[in-house]
Amino acid sequence: MKLYNYFRSSASFRVRIALALKGLDYDYLPVHLVKNEQLGESYASVSASRLVPLLKDGDAIVTQSMAIIEYLDETHPQPPLMPADALGRARVRTLSLDIACEIHPLNNLRVLRYLVGPMKIAEEEKDRWYRHWVETGLETVERQLATAPARYCHGDSPTMADCVLVPQIFNAQRFNCRVDHVPNVMRVFEACMQLDAFAKTQPSACPDAS
């Protein structure tokens, strides 16, 4: 398997965690987003969306981090990243989507570049935008976690939801977002970071970290 990704991409981080939890080996292929390498012809020939991450598994190509994680879970079932029951799977997907759809898209690199570029928003105002959506979005996750507290997002073993949560907290801390108002979120984050699959795939541990 080959993973096209960027060390600071939270979506890429999600997939690195999933691969590590499953103990799967892969070739790490960096695509530097700040340098716009995702727009170059060599990567465009592989990725129709020109986004990361992208997983190449033999002749198969899978994009979008959550689709990749579910693909890995179906092709390499152990250890599972989705609960066995339908309601549990729905809850894990809900938690994942609360982050991947409600927080992350408002704060990814393309959006931030547009705010300070064509929209001519000052850096300080851009950071206020970032912190607002992260902090309020995490409040939703906090309420979800409070309904069924557990060691991880759902139960006593990591799921896709944890793969999505941890990178978002890394981003929150990088932009000095407030997190003291989400104690359940941070408790789960700390539990995850005790596992090698999370600690050894974090941005600073990546070969293209700079």
Side-chain angles (χ1 to χ4, degrees):
M1 285 191 287
K2 298 179 180 180
L3 180 67
Y4 293 81
N5 77 135
Y6 178 53
F7 78 100
R8 198 169 274 163
S9 158
S10 59
S12 297
F13 189 4
R14 298 168 190 166
V15 176
R16 294 196 302 267
I17 294 168
L19 287 162
L21 285 169
K22 290 186 175 292
L24 297 173
D25 293 327
Y26 61 95
D27 294 331
Y28 185 110
L29 301 176
V31 179
H32 203 297
L33 300 186
V34 176
K35 296 179 181 178
N36 292 322
E37 289 181 357
Q38 73 278 16
L39 304 178
E41 289 185 11
S42 61
Y43 187 62
S45 66
V46 180
S47 172
S49 66
R50 301 187 181 186
L51 300 173
V52 294
L54 179 148
L55 182 74
K56 196 170 188 298
D57 184 14
D59 292 331
I61 291 178
V62 189
T63 59
Q64 290 293 343
S65 61
M66 291 171 60
I68 295 172
I69 292 172
E70 294 217 38
Y71 169 81
L72 292 172
D73 211 38
E74 292 174 8
T75 55
H76 300 83
Q78 299 300 323
L81 297 179
M82 296 294 289
D85 62 298
L87 186 58
R89 291 194 297 274
R91 183 168 186 264
V92 166
R93 289 188 178 105
T94 295
L95 286 163
S96 301
L97 291 167
D98 278 337
I99 298 168
C101 292
E102 305 296 339
I103 301 175
H104 178 251
L106 292 162
N107 296 292
N108 68 22
L109 182 60
R110 290 183 297 166
V111 170
L112 300 182
R113 280 178 164 175
Y114 191 78
L115 288 174
V116 298
M119 297 294 291
K120 302 188 184 306
I121 301 296
E123 284 289 328
E124 181 181 347
E125 293 302 303
K126 179 205 73 176
D127 289 346
R128 279 184 59 198
W129 164 281
Y130 192 104
R131 287 191 290 268
H132 169 77
W133 294 114
V134 170
E135 291 171 6
T136 56
L138 288 177
E139 288 173 4
T140 298
V141 179
E142 175 71 14
R143 290 192 294 270
Q144 295 273 17
L145 294 179
T147 63
R151 179 168 180 79
Y152 299 104
C153 282
H154 183 82
D156 295 325
S157 59
T159 65
M160 178 171 69
D162 301 282
C163 297
V164 177
L165 174 67
V166 166
Q168 186 61 66
I169 299 304
F170 266 78
N171 282 353
Q173 293 174 332
R174 180 179 163 218
F175 279 84
N176 298 314
C177 297
R178 187 167 64 94
V179 293
D180 59 349
H181 64 312
V182 288
N184 282 296
V185 167
M186 295 309 296
R187 174 182 53 75
V188 169
F189 171 77
E190 294 298 338
C192 288
M193 291 308 297
Q194 293 176 25
L195 302 178
D196 283 349
F198 292 83
K200 292 185 176 181
T201 57
Q202 62 181 291
S204 62
C206 291
D208 56 332
S210 59

